[in-house]
Amino acid sequence: MPAPEKPVTNEDGKQDSSAIAEDDAAVRPPRAPPIPASVKINVEGAFIVDDEMNTKNGTANEHVHWEHKDIRLPYHTDVVSHVAVDIGGTLAKLVYFSRETGSTHGGGRLNFLNFETDRIDLCIDFIQELKKKQLKLNGSTPQELCVMATGGGAYKFYNRMKEVLHVDVVQEDEMECLIIGLDFFITEIPREVFTYSEEEPMQFAEARSDIYPYLLVNIGSGVSMVKVSGPREFQRVGGTSLGGGTFWGILSLLTGARTFDEMLRLAEEGDNAGVDMLVGDIYGSGYSKIGLKSTTIASTFGKVFRMKRLAERHAEDGEGLFNGDNLGGDHEMQGQFKIEDMARSLLYAISNNIGQIAYLQSEKHNLRHIYFGGSFIRGHTQTMNTLSYAIKFWSKGEKQAYFLRHEGYLGAVGAFLKRQPKNWGRRNSFDDIRLTKVMSKE
Amino acid sequence: MPAPEKPVTNEDGKQDSSAIAEDDAAVRPPRAPPIPASVKINVEGAFIVDDEMNTKNGTANEHVHWEHKDIRLPYHTDVVSHVAVDIGGTLAKLVYFSRETGSTHGGGRLNFLNFETDRIDLCIDFIQELKKKQLKLNGSTPQELCVMATGGGAYKFYNRMKEVLHVDVVQEDEMECLIIGLDFFITEIPREVFTYSEEEPMQFAEARSDIYPYLLVNIGSGVSMVKVSGPREFQRVGGTSLGGGTFWGILSLLTGARTFDEMLRLAEEGDNAGVDMLVGDIYGSGYSKIGLKSTTIASTFGKVFRMKRLAERHAEDGEGLFNGDNLGGDHEMQGQFKIEDMARSLLYAISNNIGQIAYLQSEKHNLRHIYFGGSFIRGHTQTMNTLSYAIKFWSKGEKQAYFLRHEGYLGAVGAFLKRQPKNWGRRNSFDDIRLTKVMSKE
């Protein structure tokens, strides 16, 4: 999630617990998971349930956001006694399995929902409810429920979860979970991964078996960029602090919008040229010699300072014309600027910037495939289009951005899957290939 | 200055007028300069006049900013009949020569000042005054004054300058002028180029003759990154729209500060942790596994959304404690946030981001030296420290950021120097090496 750091590879087992073979009990770090439960998720025939209105029971208010894209697992019948939660800086993402009761289809489904991290109490209450239900349904003892937890909040809220829930809470490494989740989505779930552009919206990518190496760009409050060379072989190569938190934070100050979706709606109605300085504003035309069109954004919010100064000068001169009074029409204004224009400008700037850095990192590390995940994206078409365009633009069409329908749940799904025996799943997405290799050498 | 564009190299003479040999009159583009005046700037013994209070005549108000670092040219005696102006999106930078009248030292000096681009009228008035003075001093006819103009405003305000001044206005390419100016500063002016860090503030770099290749990062309203392979051999390889204009624009909305220096002063007094989400805020501690300290910035402005939501909730609950009332003490507040904290956060974010992209571009193009120029920097130590730190951090100490005392005047000085015959200057900074090579082959 965070910005500058010294990238530390996990290829050196001494520095990275995830690289330690799990059967080597002597060197197992204190936070390694307990021996996996003897369940096996059957992903045969898995599919995404499209746009179904959820009629879930339990907590439902503005602090809880249900996704309407469950993953049906028609052939899974075993008891699942764990839930997984990925607690980030702003959102806590929850994944759990439910049986398809009252249905002739059988099997079950993975459910996806999130809470604001500041309402972690609601998230814990929700897990408490799941625990009670599970007890009733499965007859298992409450102690058997296990919470697989990842993200920073897995550490920050560890004690709180233990105290309230009285269950096992297993802490899992954030980056590792992201990668496991992404690998799962890429290899196991049809119609999950897609490319996006205005001309060709949502083109699903074929499932691939040779997925490595690739770059994962996870955009939450902050942005992490992770180079993935193989299953559980990864390195956080960079990131930027200009992420979702920046967008939400600045816009909540400038526009008064109170939810992420409200901010995205504003962006859809805005014209960034209302606040951005374009090449045409500086040159009066394009700067064709180096290929800059007059509509290219020269400076994000670059018009604001000038226009404010101008308005002040006119106000001092006793002219009221430029101070923005009644210029907004139906639009809410911040001074002489439309809040929609500011939202669009900031969305462009942050997406563009992430796109450029992602491209440059992919060049530095020789990675052709770039996957974008994280709760900032929210399936928002403008955001995806900007990220996509940036990758295409900077790579001169050589590279492409890939998106996921469950983009916000990579970490949560990864944590969910870690509670698994090895070698499940139809395309071996969860094999520890490195371990296999080591063993075959001996 | 601007963000995404298709980089077009100037190595292809057909696309780039600057690469055309100047003695090839048949293919000279319409905007090429007239035959250079027969003056030659004598830079022997040139030095920067430190911190001298200027007692310049003429316009002096809040819209004009004089630099207190003239360059003395003790041995230059010839008449100089031109001034140079670099008109950017926010500032118009002016360079002119003046004789050292009333002094026993002789020679003259280069003077540096800037105007807000929106007050281009003041800038033009100022040039008008210079024209009058020159007429009096040199007895030259007014027609002989020439304005060398670069930056986008050289095109946008071309007609206005011509109409008001009745002099030749020669338009020069922005990127080329930046490079010529920078080459001049690096090779000709002692104590101009320096490195900066908190531990070792302002260490002057030795003048070097083997200056190529290098990366120039010019931070004005927007940011341009230019790869320079040799004299007049350059390519704009990238940039970002997150530049000075973004900093000035967002802060003028959030803080009410009215000048750049006011914003920088705010930043000096702020603590970015008041608005930024740090790794410690997410994890409760560091994320040591991948080397992220608890103080690392995870998300710029990432605390704002959460804290605003929290305050709203408490307000709804009838508790007044978290809505920021009286929490600011002596500080001006924006909601529950200190404007100083916001200024510092944004300064960090923008500088850091530019630093990271500059590093990645320098890697992609195999460039060891990175020079930072442009009016955003303004000799501000926090800004330079952040840029410097970013380069050191990302390059693991392999690369260093270089700064210039006249960082805002690269383009203006470049334009000033273009009004020159070839092969002047003691270190041949202005030789057209490529042309020489071509000729020696024949």
Side-chain angles (χ1 to χ4, degrees):
Chain A
M1 206 154 295
E5 89 298 5
K6 291 190 192 75
V8 174
T9 172
N10 79 330
E11 282 158 26
D12 177 356
K14 280 173 196 155
Q15 289 187 24
D16 186 337
S17 62
S18 71
I20 295 169
E22 288 194 13
D23 55 351
D24 187 350
V27 293
R28 181 176 297 154
R31 279 170 179 163
I35 296 152
S38 60
V39 292
K40 186 169 176 170
I41 300 280
N42 187 338
V43 294
E44 202 189 325
F47 63 95
I48 300 172
V49 183
D50 272 311
D51 296 319
E52 189 182 290
M53 284 311 291
N54 278 296
T55 52
K56 318 270 185 186
N57 297 323
T59 335
N61 61 44
E62 64 163 323
H63 302 289
V64 185
H65 176 78
W66 286 95
E67 305 296 340
H68 300 296
K69 44 195 173 193
D70 298 346
I71 292 182
R72 278 281 281 124
L73 301 167
Y75 296 104
H76 183 88
T77 48
D78 284 357
V79 169
V80 177
S81 59
H82 66 285
V83 301
V85 61
D86 172 8
I87 311 176
T90 307
L91 292 175
K93 285 77 68 176
L94 187 73
V95 173
Y96 70 96
F97 177 84
S98 65
R99 287 207 208 164
E100 209 68 355
T101 50
S103 149
T104 53
H105 300 302
R109 63 175 64 202
L110 291 178
N111 303 269
F112 303 86
L113 71 162
N114 66 56
F115 305 78
E116 286 174 31
T117 298
D118 279 330
R119 301 315 307 266
I120 195 69
D121 50 324
L122 296 179
C123 178
I124 294 174
D125 288 350
F126 188 89
I127 298 174
Q128 186 77 284
E129 287 298 314
L130 287 178
K131 181 178 132 184
K132 282 183 201 158
K133 261 189 238 167
Q134 185 189 297
L135 179 63
K136 229 165 73 182
L137 280 172
N138 302 336
S140 60
T141 60
Q143 282 72 20
E144 276 179 329
L145 183 88
C146 165
V147 175
M148 303 296 287
T150 189
Y155 302 89
K156 191 172 176 183
F157 300 113
Y158 178 80
N159 290 334
R160 197 142 145 201
M161 287 190 281
K162 288 284 287 185
E163 280 162 24
V164 177
L165 295 170
H166 302 290
V167 297
D168 272 346
V169 176
V170 181
Q171 295 164 324
E172 294 290 346
D173 176 70
E174 178 178 349
M175 297 298 145
E176 194 181 2
C177 287
L178 284 175
I179 298 312
I180 291 172
L182 177 52
D183 279 8
F184 169 78
F185 280 125
I186 299 175
T187 55
E188 305 290 355
I189 305 300
R191 300 173 69 83
E192 172 72 40
V193 178
F194 60 95
T195 58
Y196 187 92
S197 70
E198 250 163 25
E199 307 77 46
E200 294 186 298
M202 216 186 233
Q203 301 279 307
F204 288 109
E206 284 300 304
R208 296 183 302 127
S209 51
D210 58 330
I211 62 175
Y212 307 109
Y214 64 77
L215 182 72
L216 164 61
V217 180
N218 198 63
I219 317 177
S221 304
V223 183
S224 276
M225 300 191 186
V226 188
K227 170 186 170 180
V228 184
S229 315
R232 304 204 197 185
E233 263 184 77
F234 62 88
Q235 180 190 1
R236 185 181 188 279
V237 292
T240 164
S241 68
L242 293 165
T246 316
F247 180 72
W248 304 323
I250 292 180
L251 284 191
S252 69
L253 290 173
L254 289 180
T255 71
R258 291 182 55 171
T259 69
F260 304 161
D261 291 329
E262 209 179 318
M263 294 174 192
L264 291 177
R265 272 196 302 276
L266 286 176
E268 280 162 27
E269 290 158 21
D271 175 3
N272 65 300
V275 292
D276 287 352
M277 185 185 286
L278 309 185
V279 168
D281 295 321
I282 304 175
Y283 273 79
S285 65
Y287 183 6
S288 55
K289 185 172 169 181
I290 55 173
L292 294 173
K293 288 186 291 189
S294 69
T295 52
T296 302
I297 302 168
S299 174
T300 295
F301 273 67
K303 253 183 202 148
V304 170
F305 182 78
R306 289 179 60 175
M307 286 177 68
K308 266 184 77 87
R309 293 280 286 174
L310 210 60
E312 284 161 9
R313 217 159 63 231
H314 283 276
E316 283 163 15
D317 296 350
E319 305 170 32
L321 199 64
F322 288 86
N323 67 358
D325 292 347
N326 302 320
L327 284 179
D330 290 339
H331 300 276
E332 205 180 319
M333 306 291 279
Q334 157 74 255
Q336 71 247 62
F337 306 99
K338 288 188 195 152
I339 61 173
E340 292 88 347
D341 295 352
M342 295 191 289
R344 184 148 194 157
S345 164
L346 206 56
L347 182 67
Y348 271 177
I350 286 179
S351 307
N352 240 325
N353 191 60
I354 293 169
Q356 179 178 186
I357 296 175
Y359 161 73
L360 287 168
Q361 290 285 10
S362 78
E363 283 290 290
K364 183 167 166 59
H365 296 281
N366 279 314
L367 305 168
R368 262 188 60 80
H369 289 85
I370 305 175
Y371 293 91
F372 287 90
S375 295
F376 172 67
I377 300 175
R378 307 172 78 75
H380 188 249
T381 56
Q382 255 180 17
T383 309
M384 294 190 293
N385 195 50
T386 309
L387 289 167
S388 231
Y389 180 82
I391 297 298
K392 255 186 227 152
F393 173 83
W394 288 103
S395 71
K396 301 193 178 77
E398 293 286 308
K399 294 182 183 181
Q400 220 173 3
Y402 292 90
F403 302 96
L404 294 109
R405 297 192 57 199
H406 294 87
E407 80 273 271
Y409 294 86
L410 306 186
V413 165
F416 186 86
L417 294 174
K418 281 211 78 174
R419 181 77 169 179
Q420 289 300 330
K422 293 188 179 299
N423 305 319
W424 68 275
R426 68 183 190 283
R427 289 192 201 88
N428 298 325
S429 68
F430 204 59
D431 278 359
D432 191 336
I433 287 170
R434 290 173 65 226
L435 189 60
T436 315
K437 275 184 193 156
V438 171
M439 290 173 72
S440 63
K441 266 191 233 157
E442 289 168 356
Chain B
M1 205 154 296
E5 89 298 6
K6 291 190 192 75
V8 174
T9 172
N10 80 329
E11 282 158 26
D12 177 358
K14 279 172 196 157
Q15 289 188 25
D16 187 338
S17 62
S18 71
I20 295 169
E22 289 193 12
D23 54 351
D24 187 350
V27 293
R28 181 176 296 154
R31 279 172 179 162
I35 296 153
S38 60
V39 292
K40 186 168 175 170
I41 299 280
N42 187 338
V43 295
E44 201 189 325
F47 63 95
I48 300 172
V49 183
D50 271 311
D51 296 319
E52 189 183 290
M53 284 311 291
N54 278 295
T55 52
K56 318 270 185 187
N57 297 323
T59 335
N61 61 43
E62 63 163 324
H63 303 290
V64 185
H65 176 77
W66 285 95
E67 306 295 341
H68 300 295
K69 44 195 173 193
D70 297 347
I71 293 181
R72 277 280 281 125
L73 301 167
Y75 297 103
H76 183 89
T77 48
D78 283 357
V79 170
V80 178
S81 60
H82 66 284
V83 302
V85 61
D86 172 8
I87 311 175
T90 307
L91 293 175
K93 284 77 67 176
L94 187 73
V95 173
Y96 70 96
F97 177 84
S98 65
R99 287 208 208 163
E100 209 68 356
T101 49
S103 150
T104 54
H105 300 302
R109 63 174 65 202
L110 291 178
N111 303 269
F112 303 86
L113 71 162
N114 65 56
F115 304 78
E116 286 173 30
T117 298
D118 280 331
R119 301 314 307 266
I120 196 70
D121 50 324
L122 296 179
C123 178
I124 294 174
D125 288 351
F126 188 90
I127 297 173
Q128 187 77 282
E129 287 298 313
L130 287 178
K131 181 178 132 183
K132 283 183 201 158
K133 261 189 238 167
Q134 185 189 297
L135 178 62
K136 229 165 72 183
L137 280 172
N138 302 336
S140 61
T141 60
Q143 283 72 19
E144 276 180 329
L145 183 88
C146 165
V147 175
M148 303 296 287
T150 189
Y155 302 89
K156 191 171 176 184
F157 301 113
Y158 178 80
N159 289 334
R160 199 143 144 200
M161 287 189 281
K162 288 284 286 183
E163 280 162 23
V164 177
L165 295 169
H166 301 290
V167 297
D168 272 346
V169 176
V170 182
Q171 295 164 324
E172 294 291 345
D173 176 69
E174 178 178 349
M175 296 298 145
E176 194 181 3
C177 287
L178 283 175
I179 299 312
I180 291 172
L182 177 52
D183 280 7
F184 170 78
F185 281 125
I186 298 175
T187 54
E188 305 290 356
I189 305 300
R191 300 172 68 83
E192 171 72 39
V193 178
F194 60 95
T195 58
Y196 187 92
S197 70
E198 250 163 27
E199 307 78 46
E200 295 186 297
M202 216 186 233
Q203 301 280 307
F204 288 109
E206 284 299 305
R208 297 182 302 126
S209 52
D210 58 330
I211 62 174
Y212 307 109
Y214 64 77
L215 183 71
L216 165 62
V217 181
N218 199 62
I219 317 177
S221 304
V223 183
S224 276
M225 301 191 187
V226 187
K227 170 187 170 179
V228 184
S229 315
R232 304 203 196 186
E233 264 184 75
F234 62 88
Q235 180 189 2
R236 185 181 188 279
V237 292
T240 164
S241 68
L242 292 165
T246 316
F247 179 72
W248 304 323
I250 292 180
L251 284 191
S252 70
L253 290 172
L254 289 180
T255 71
R258 290 182 56 171
T259 68
F260 304 161
D261 291 329
E262 208 180 318
M263 293 173 192
L264 291 177
R265 272 196 302 276
L266 286 176
E268 280 162 26
E269 290 158 22
D271 174 3
N272 66 300
V275 292
D276 287 352
M277 186 184 285
L278 308 185
V279 168
D281 295 321
I282 304 175
Y283 273 79
S285 64
Y287 183 6
S288 55
K289 186 173 170 181
I290 54 173
L292 294 173
K293 288 186 291 189
S294 68
T295 52
T296 302
I297 302 168
S299 174
T300 295
F301 274 67
K303 254 183 201 147
V304 170
F305 182 78
R306 289 179 60 175
M307 286 177 68
K308 266 184 77 86
R309 293 281 286 174
L310 210 61
E312 285 162 8
R313 216 160 63 232
H314 283 276
E316 283 163 14
D317 295 350
E319 305 169 33
L321 199 64
F322 289 85
N323 66 358
D325 292 348
N326 302 320
L327 283 179
D330 290 340
H331 300 276
E332 206 180 318
M333 306 291 279
Q334 158 73 256
Q336 70 247 63
F337 306 100
K338 288 188 195 150
I339 60 173
E340 292 89 348
D341 296 352
M342 295 191 289
R344 184 147 195 157
S345 164
L346 206 57
L347 182 67
Y348 270 177
I350 286 179
S351 307
N352 239 325
N353 190 60
I354 293 170
Q356 179 177 186
I357 295 175
Y359 161 73
L360 287 168
Q361 290 285 10
S362 78
E363 283 289 290
K364 184 167 166 59
H365 296 282
N366 279 314
L367 305 168
R368 263 187 59 80
H369 289 86
I370 306 175
Y371 293 91
F372 287 90
S375 295
F376 172 67
I377 300 176
R378 307 172 78 74
H380 188 249
T381 56
Q382 256 180 17
T383 309
M384 293 190 293
N385 195 50
T386 309
L387 289 167
S388 232
Y389 181 83
I391 297 299
K392 256 187 226 150
F393 173 83
W394 288 103
S395 71
K396 300 192 178 78
E398 294 286 308
K399 294 182 184 181
Q400 222 173 1
Y402 292 90
F403 302 96
L404 294 109
R405 297 191 58 200
H406 295 89
E407 80 273 269
Y409 293 86
L410 306 186
V413 165
F416 186 86
L417 294 174
K418 281 211 78 175
R419 182 76 168 179
Q420 289 300 330
K422 293 188 180 300
N423 304 320
W424 68 276
R426 69 181 189 283
R427 289 193 201 86
N428 298 325
S429 69
F430 204 60
D431 279 358
D432 191 336
I433 287 171
R434 291 173 65 225
L435 189 60
T436 314
K437 275 184 193 155
V438 170
M439 290 174 72
S440 63
K441 265 191 234 157
E442 289 169 357

